Amino acid sequence: AKLEPEPVRFGWVTGVMVRCMLNIWGVILYLRLPWITAQAGIGLTWLIILMSTVVTAITGLSISAISTNGKVKSGGTYFLISRSLGPELGGSIGLLFSFANAVAVAMHVVGFSETVRDLLLETDSVIADPVNDIRIVGVLTVTVLLGIALAGMEWEAKAQVIFFIVIMISFVNYFIGTLIPATEEKQSKGYYSYRGDIFVQNIGPEWRGESGSFFGMFSIFFPSATGILAGANISGDLKDPAVAIPKGTLTAIFLTTLTYLAISATIGACVIRDASGSLNDTLGSINATGDCVGVGCGYGWNFTECTVAGTCEYGLANNYQTMSLVSGLSPLITAGIFAATLSSALACLVSAPKVFQCLCQDNLYPLIGFFAKGYGKNKEPLRAYALTFMVAIAFILIAELNTIAPIISNFFLCSYALINFSCFHATVTNPPGWRPSFRYFSKWTALFGAVISVVIMFLLTWWAALIVVGIIVVSLAYVTYKKPDVNWGSSVQAGTYNIALSYSVNLTEVEDHVKNFRPQCLVLTGPPSFRPALVDFVSAFTKNVSLMICGNVAGVSAQDVGSPGDEHVKWLNDRKVRSFYSLISAGELRSGARSLMQVSGLGRLKPNTVVLGYKQNWQTDSPHSLENYVGIIQDAFDCQIGVCVLRMRDGLDVSRTVRAHGECFCYGLQPPPSPQLTPFSAPLQGDNFKVVGADEQLETVFQAKQKKKSIDIYWLFDDGGLTLLIPYLLTRRKRWSHCKVRVFLSGQLTNAEEHREEIQQLLSKFRLIFPFPVGWLIGLFLWELALLSCFPPRSLPVVRKGACPSSLYMAWLETLSRDLHPPVIFIRGNQQDVLTFYCQ
């Protein structure tokens, strides 16, 4: 067999450090840092650089911790956040970060195109006009970069090394140039080599233009610091991401920060803010008029006219190509600009598709699975490359660097905020699985990094920050609603566990109060899919209100009938039933049910009501089985637990027996006689048959909209109020809200009206406004109009041990409910008050 070629893998230097440094040394360094220094002054420019470094350094520490907490695969920032905070926030940031990198491609390409445009203007070789020249050059450039990226990671890495060498040469050229005495031509353009008074003059700010403010300059500079994730974004192409990402990222942040600080200080000490570039603007020239204004006067130059008029073409505040002026050989600075912009653009062009490909592979959002496919030994995302290319082209057509830069600042800041919050949240929740090998981080610095990133987002461009937050909220809501079938062991799960555990323990310290009573139900369903009507009935009044546990009693020597426990939980979730599932093995149904009553739940979250189905075959079943069934009711009363028994005319059990051939269940074959299944589930003999329940789509009467039907309550004696509370909880549901509740009482006809008024006042005090007639039980309920009738004679009668045979007890229930069309519920509380009209 032909062996597949090994994918290319990179170490921490070429894979992370060089890539991050190249992405940080972008267009801002060469074309905007001198201009920012002129606007903000050296002091505030250093503050801007250090503020950016604080954010990026804290983020670097956080991403180092996350990346060393287990093996990191492809997907970069998206992979790290999604596996830490879960798919909800991870999916949001995957979309944003992919888009931000695609826009960053445009930013760096536009910076490159501006330099080419300036060269064309100097040589009088304009293609169309200054703006369209940027667009033309930008489109051609991004097309060439796409070709390099499509050639493979080997070629992209080689190109990055070449760019790195060119940039280093341009830096050496620049610093040498600051030491060379200025020629007369350079002096006319504002360069005088190192001068103390120029340095002092340029320390303070001098704001100009619409963006002339501290945060205006910060918003333009900050995208230059966003390259710290360039190495992490190709995590799938690194030899050892856990070593390469921390080492390479932090080293890159340190070295590039020194570079920015040094260039800002040196160029601020050599070049004045305004100069005309005219050799005739000297103090002794005939053009000099009036008093001389500016630092240039001390060196024999008078730039007063253009300074006052605001028409100077040179100086830090006017010429984006100041670094070329200062350097020893200006073509080397131009080469550095080309290398910095193209390397940054290439890094972003590679990052965006790889992050987006990983997002598409996780299948969190619809319609994007097309971009998940990879090609070649490195599984290159060619389709995602095409999408990134089109997005970059769209923003290149804007052709204005100062407009593009603030847009992506918010996207990257949002990414940084979530990375830092991921680290903070994982540290606070402290799951046993949070064991990063990188130890040099703190949860409080991570939290500070997250907060400061959000604050800066709104201080930079508040409307863009609102758009970013809106995108996150919408995508978060979508993923939360869809609930993708993924389980990544996120810190959100750990946090949920901690909160649930803490609240459960705190709840045990509080005594129960009647005002907070909730029917917490143990529902003896067997496998839940066997009795969907029983599940739906209890869910109708417990969902989002109280506890529901579906209990299944299986034989000691047999496995659970039907599907494994996880499949039962999935069935409940697909049916949108909020319930736990509990399986217990026992020799008999009664002993298993008793065990469930005793051990189910946690602390205060334990059942106070048992719900079971009516035994349809009680007349034909064995006496022992009948004793077991009635014994469950006796045991519930002994445990001070209320009881509800649901009867439906067609029965509750919808399970059926099928013959299995391998994995195929063939319906329509003649099965063996199917026994009447109870919550005590015994397996069929042989491996060729299987008992299955209803699918999650089967609709029962309790799921249908009830319209204007009736709920009839036969309230004979006080059992604590459970008989009244359950119908009330049903009417709070939308599908039951239009039902008419009628309360029937038993009493003497001689004082019926007086009794009626007393009970009506009592219900009013309980805030249960039920219209009800008063009369005898026999002959008063109209089942043609009723959907649910509750028969609580003492509601459900208490079984007296040794005094009432089980068959007689069942005969009494049979007499009350036989041949009734609507569902019938027998309810008996545990004599605990569940209703009160007091406020305390």
Side-chain angles (χ1 to χ4, degrees):
K2 185 179 179 180
L3 296 177
E4 292 187 3
E6 288 291 327
V8 179
R9 295 287 185 260
F10 305 104
W12 73 273
V13 176
T14 58
V16 181
M17 188 192 76
V18 170
R19 189 175 299 274
C20 289
M21 292 178 72
L22 286 174
N23 212 15
I24 296 172
W25 286 335
V27 60
I28 303 298
L29 173 66
Y30 287 96
L31 298 182
R32 290 298 182 271
L33 183 59
W35 176 73
I36 293 173
T37 303
Q39 291 267 358
I42 298 173
L44 291 183
T45 300
W46 274 41
L47 180 60
I48 290 173
I49 295 171
L50 293 176
M51 283 178 58
S52 302
T53 302
V54 167
V55 175
T56 56
I58 292 175
T59 307
L61 295 175
S62 297
I63 203 170
S64 298
I66 297 172
S67 63
T68 58
N69 189 52
K71 185 177 180 180
V72 178
K73 298 180 180 179
S74 61
T77 306
Y78 161 70
F79 182 88
L80 296 174
I81 295 179
S82 61
R83 271 55 178 180
S84 180
L85 288 179
E88 295 82 5
L89 284 174
S92 305
I93 209 61
L95 290 174
L96 288 174
F97 197 74
S98 301
F99 180 75
N101 274 278
V103 177
V105 174
M107 182 187 77
H108 295 297
V109 169
V110 167
F112 169 81
S113 303
E114 281 189 3
T115 305
V116 175
R117 186 271 315 271
D118 293 341
L119 292 176
L120 293 176
L121 289 174
E122 290 179 4
T123 59
D124 197 21
S125 303
V126 177
I127 302 174
D129 58 72
V131 175
N132 284 320
D133 281 3
I134 293 177
R135 294 169 178 159
I136 295 171
V137 174
V139 171
L140 295 175
T141 302
V142 77
T143 304
V144 174
L145 293 177
L146 179 64
I148 297 175
L150 294 179
M153 289 299 295
E154 314 99 297
W155 290 97
E156 188 267 349
K158 292 176 182 177
Q160 295 286 31
V161 172
I162 295 174
F163 290 146
F164 183 79
I165 294 173
V166 172
I167 290 176
M168 296 305 297
I169 294 174
S170 72
F171 285 163
V172 173
N173 172 58
Y174 164 76
F175 287 110
I176 292 177
T178 60
L179 300 173
I180 299 175
T183 62
E184 187 176 4
E185 181 182 359
K186 287 188 176 183
Q187 289 184 5
S188 68
K189 295 180 179 180
Y191 170 65
Y192 299 97
S193 191
Y194 290 108
R195 304 288 182 177
D197 55 346
I198 295 178
F199 179 80
V200 172
Q201 180 69 24
N202 287 336
I203 284 181
E206 188 176 307
W207 308 116
R208 302 181 184 184
E210 294 181 359
S211 58
S213 65
F214 179 82
F215 284 104
M217 294 300 105
F218 186 90
S219 66
I220 294 173
F221 173 82
F222 188 79
S224 67
T226 56
I228 65 168
L229 300 178
N233 287 338
I234 62 163
S235 54
D237 298 304
L238 300 176
K239 292 179 182 177
D240 189 354
V243 173
I245 292 176
K247 198 172 181 180
T249 302
L250 296 176
T251 303
I253 292 173
F254 176 73
L255 295 178
T256 52
T257 300
L258 292 181
T259 305
Y260 274 101
L261 293 174
I263 291 178
S264 175
T266 53
I267 205 164
C270 296
V271 185
I272 63 177
R273 284 189 170 97
D274 296 294
S276 65
S278 174
L279 295 174
N280 296 324
D281 287 344
T282 60
L283 286 177
S285 68
I286 59 175
N287 295 330
T289 58
D291 296 332
C292 184
V293 177
V295 182
C297 301
Y299 303 104
W301 294 89
N302 187 355
F303 303 125
T304 304
E305 182 178 354
C306 73
T307 300
V308 174
T311 58
C312 294
E313 296 181 2
Y314 292 92
L316 286 177
N318 307 294
N319 184 17
Y320 291 150
Q321 301 288 344
T322 305
M323 285 187 67
S324 297
L325 173 68
V326 174
S327 66
L329 293 175
S330 60
L332 290 180
I333 294 297
T334 302
I337 295 174
F338 288 173
T341 53
L342 294 178
S343 64
S344 298
L346 186 58
C348 293
L349 185 59
V350 171
S351 298
K354 289 186 177 293
V355 173
F356 191 62
Q357 180 190 35
C358 184
L359 173 64
C360 297
Q361 289 173 342
D362 287 337
N363 198 29
L364 301 182
Y365 300 101
L367 307 177
I368 63 174
F370 173 80
F371 300 99
K373 185 174 177 59
Y375 298 86
K377 59 185 179 182
N378 277 43
K379 302 299 181 184
E380 296 292 343
L382 301 186
R383 297 174 178 177
Y385 272 121
L387 180 63
T388 303
F389 175 76
M390 289 186 287
V391 173
I393 289 291
F395 280 86
I396 286 173
L397 296 179
I398 296 177
E400 178 54 50
L401 185 61
N402 290 356
T403 301
I404 300 175
I407 294 177
I408 65 173
S409 294
N410 278 285
F411 290 99
F412 283 111
L413 280 166
C414 183
S415 303
Y416 293 171
L418 287 178
I419 289 174
N420 287 305
F421 182 75
S422 299
C423 183
F424 166 76
H425 195 264
T427 307
V428 169
T429 56
N430 198 25
W434 175 245
R435 303 185 301 273
S437 57
F438 183 86
R439 299 291 184 181
Y440 304 102
F441 71 95
S442 166
K443 61 183 177 183
W444 301 119
T445 57
L447 179 61
F448 174 77
V451 172
I452 198 65
S453 296
V454 174
V455 170
I456 293 174
M457 280 176 60
F458 284 91
L459 290 177
L460 293 184
T461 317
W462 64 268
W463 56 267
L466 289 177
I467 292 175
V468 172
V469 172
I471 294 173
I472 290 180
V473 170
V474 171
S475 56
L476 174 66
Y478 176 81
V479 177
T480 303
Y481 174 76
K482 295 298 291 185
K483 291 183 174 59
D485 188 18
V486 294
N487 185 4
W488 296 325
S490 67
S491 62
V492 173
Q493 292 175 333
T496 302
Y497 174 86
N498 288 347
I499 293 172
L501 181 61
S502 177
Y503 283 1
S504 297
V505 173
N506 292 340
L507 198 59
T508 61
E509 301 173 0
V510 181
E511 292 294 328
D512 290 332
H513 194 282
V514 62
K515 288 170 59 178
N516 294 323
F517 176 87
R518 300 161 188 262
Q520 301 185 145
C521 298
L522 170 62
V523 192
L524 299 180
T525 59
S529 60
F530 285 13
R531 295 170 179 81
L534 187 61
V535 172
D536 293 340
F537 165 68
V538 180
S539 175
F541 65 84
T542 61
K543 188 174 183 180
N544 298 327
V545 174
S546 59
L547 176 70
M548 176 180 175
I549 301 175
C550 290
N552 183 11
V553 181
V556 174
S557 61
Q559 296 180 348
D560 179 25
V561 170
S563 304
D566 290 344
E567 293 193 13
H568 292 314
V569 173
K570 182 179 183 302
W571 185 89
L572 291 168
N573 292 337
D574 292 342
R575 204 171 178 82
K576 294 182 172 54
V577 174
R578 297 176 65 89
S579 172
F580 296 98
Y581 172 76
S582 181
L583 169 68
I584 193 169
S585 298
E588 290 185 334
L589 171 62
R590 181 178 181 181
S591 62
R594 186 191 305 116
S595 298
L596 285 174
M597 295 179 207
Q598 293 172 344
V599 303
S600 294
L602 180 68
R604 299 289 183 190
L605 298 174
K606 60 183 180 181
N608 55 28
T609 305
V610 171
V611 183
L612 66 161
Y614 182 79
K615 189 173 180 62
Q616 297 283 113
N617 65 338
W618 67 273
Q619 299 179 60
T620 59
D621 206 357
S622 66
H624 179 72
S625 178
L626 183 59
E627 289 291 336
N628 268 341
Y629 178 82
V630 177
I632 294 174
I633 300 176
Q634 293 175 338
D635 294 340
F637 291 145
D638 290 343
C639 295
Q640 298 298 308
I641 295 177
V643 178
C644 294
V645 179
L646 171 64
R647 181 175 188 179
M648 299 184 67
R649 187 175 63 173
D650 297 328
L652 294 169
D653 190 357
V654 298
S655 62
R656 69 267 192 207
T657 305
V658 296
R659 177 172 292 170
H661 293 283
E663 295 297 325
C664 175
F665 298 115
C666 304
Y667 300 90
L669 299 176
Q670 184 65 32
S674 176
Q676 176 68 27
L677 294 173
T678 67
F680 175 75
S681 303
L684 295 176
Q685 298 297 322
D687 295 330
N688 294 329
F689 298 95
K690 183 179 179 69
V691 181
V692 297
D695 60 42
E696 62 274 6
Q697 304 300 327
L698 178 67
E699 184 177 278
T700 65
V701 66
F702 300 105
Q703 289 182 315
K705 191 173 182 180
Q706 306 306 319
K707 300 180 180 178
K708 295 183 178 180
K709 297 181 180 178
S710 298
I711 300 176
D712 288 350
I713 304 174
Y714 290 79
W715 190 30
L716 303 184
F717 297 98
D718 179 22
D719 63 343
L722 186 64
T723 306
L724 294 174
L725 180 62
I726 289 179
Y728 168 73
L729 293 176
L730 281 176
T731 59
R732 291 172 59 176
R733 298 294 177 189
K734 184 176 181 180
R735 62 171 61 101
W736 297 83
S737 59
H738 297 292
C739 292
K740 180 172 63 175
V741 180
R742 304 184 302 181
V743 180
F744 291 82
L745 304 173
S746 64
Q748 301 295 327
L749 290 177
T750 55
N751 61 347
E753 187 61 29
E754 180 181 352
H755 191 195
R756 178 182 181 278
E757 292 179 358
E758 291 176 353
I759 298 299
Q760 191 169 23
Q761 290 178 2
L762 179 64
L763 293 180
S764 298
K765 290 181 178 180
F766 285 145
R767 301 171 303 283
L768 300 174
I769 309 302
F770 295 153
F772 60 95
V774 176
W776 297 102
L777 176 64
I778 305 297
L780 283 183
F781 87 87
L782 306 176
W783 57 265
E784 294 89 349
L785 299 177
L787 178 68
L788 174 67
S789 295
C790 299
F791 290 87
R794 190 67 180 162
S795 286
L796 186 68
V798 177
V799 183
R800 296 182 180 180
K801 296 182 180 180
C804 178
S806 298
S807 57
L808 179 61
Y809 181 77
M810 293 301 299
W812 196 88
L813 298 182
E814 181 75 16
T815 302
L816 289 176
S817 58
R818 186 175 182 178
D819 295 332
L820 295 180
H821 176 74
V824 178
I825 307 296
F826 296 99
I827 302 177
R828 169 72 184 195
N830 62 358
Q831 300 303 124
Q832 174 188 355
D833 289 336
V834 302
L835 298 172
T836 181
F837 47 78
Y838 295 107
C839 62
Q840 65 180 14

